[in-house]
Amino acid sequence: MALALTAFWPAPVDAGLAPLIAEVTRHLPVVTHARVEFTRNIVLFVPIGLLLPRMMPRGLVLPVALVATVAVESTQALLLDARVPSVLGIVANVTGARVGLLAFEASRAWRSSRRGSESLAT
């Protein structure tokens, strides 16, 4: 739900943060609006990578994330005048899904290794 609201909100959801980001950039030049937006897009798709493997084969998670993000960016381009779709948005979103999928796989491996060590202890 949060993803849909963020993706299809008519105006950029971080528009009100522009003055704050500009102020932070003044003191920390590496924190630019583009970098904040890129990072936000990554974070936005991490839950996709965490949740989708519970519902479908892991091999489909990244293709589904790619199709979803291309659909979002295309919808923004066609229907939302105030939104600026970008290829970097697609890259960031798929990266976020991959980060989530890696976290899912690491968690699964950790749980599996714990089960294995518990059975050895008994």
Side-chain angles (χ1 to χ4, degrees), residues 28-120:
L28 295 168
V30 298
V31 181
T32 64
H33 188 272
R35 288 180 176 155
V36 169
E37 184 176 342
F38 189 80
T39 303
R40 179 189 51 118
N41 281 343
I42 291 172
V43 170
L44 191 63
F45 265 69
V46 168
I48 299 295
L50 286 168
L51 297 174
L52 284 184
R54 299 173 196 283
M55 298 180 261
M56 65 179 57
R58 288 188 312 247
L60 292 178
V61 172
L62 295 182
V64 167
L66 177 63
V67 168
T69 193
V70 168
V72 165
E73 297 292 326
S74 298
T75 301
Q76 288 177 350
L78 296 171
L79 303 176
L80 303 173
D81 292 336
R83 301 299 296 265
V84 180
S86 73
V87 173
L88 279 179
I90 294 169
V91 170
N93 292 345
V94 174
T95 300
R98 182 63 182 144
V99 168
L101 183 58
L102 287 171
F104 173 82
E105 291 171 348
S107 171
R108 199 169 143 197
W110 181 78
R111 283 192 311 260
S112 177
S113 71
R114 297 244 328 147
R115 271 187 246 123
S117 65
E118 287 173 3
S119 67
L120 291 175

